[in-house]
């Protein structure tokens, strides 16, 4: 039964995750819920990034995501898209 409590606590923490972000256009700083971010994991550093829409100016923002960022975003419940190359 304690496993269920831990799972519920972990799920609640993921739902409540908030991430600090900044817009390079308007220089606004804000907090975004996990649902406002998207993570794309590709085969290289160029194709691995996270994105969001600035709540202040509406600009679509795309920033590179290294290993630590990937770990934080996936752990916080951000939706992830894995990019694959087809032959």
């Amino acid at each position: 039964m304690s496993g269920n409590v831990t799972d519920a606590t972990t799920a609640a923490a993921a739902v409540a995750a908030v991430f600090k972000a900044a817009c390079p256009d308007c220089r606004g700083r804000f907090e975004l819920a996990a649902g406002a971010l998207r993570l794309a994991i590709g085969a290289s550093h160029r194709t691995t990034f996270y994105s969001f829409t600035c709540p202040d100016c509406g600009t679509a923002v795309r920033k590179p995501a290294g290993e630590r960022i990937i770990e934080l975003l996936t752990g916080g419940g951000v939706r992830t898209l894995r990019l694959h190359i087809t032959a």
Side-chain angles (χ1 to χ4, degrees), residues 21-83:
C23 176
D25 281 6
C26 73
R27 300 194 187 274
R29 296 186 176 275
F30 37 81
E31 292 183 343
L32 296 171
L37 294 153
R38 297 291 176 269
L39 174 62
I41 300 175
S44 72
H45 292 292
R46 287 181 87 180
T47 57
T48 301
F49 59 91
Y50 66 99
S51 62
F52 59 90
T53 300
C54 175
D56 293 342
C57 70
T59 298
V61 178
R62 177 176 161 166
K63 295 188 174 188
E67 288 183 32
R68 181 69 179 140
I69 297 295
I70 292 168
E71 182 181 317
L72 291 169
L73 294 178
T74 55
V78 172
R79 282 194 259 180
T80 303
L81 173 65
R82 296 198 181 271
L83 306 174

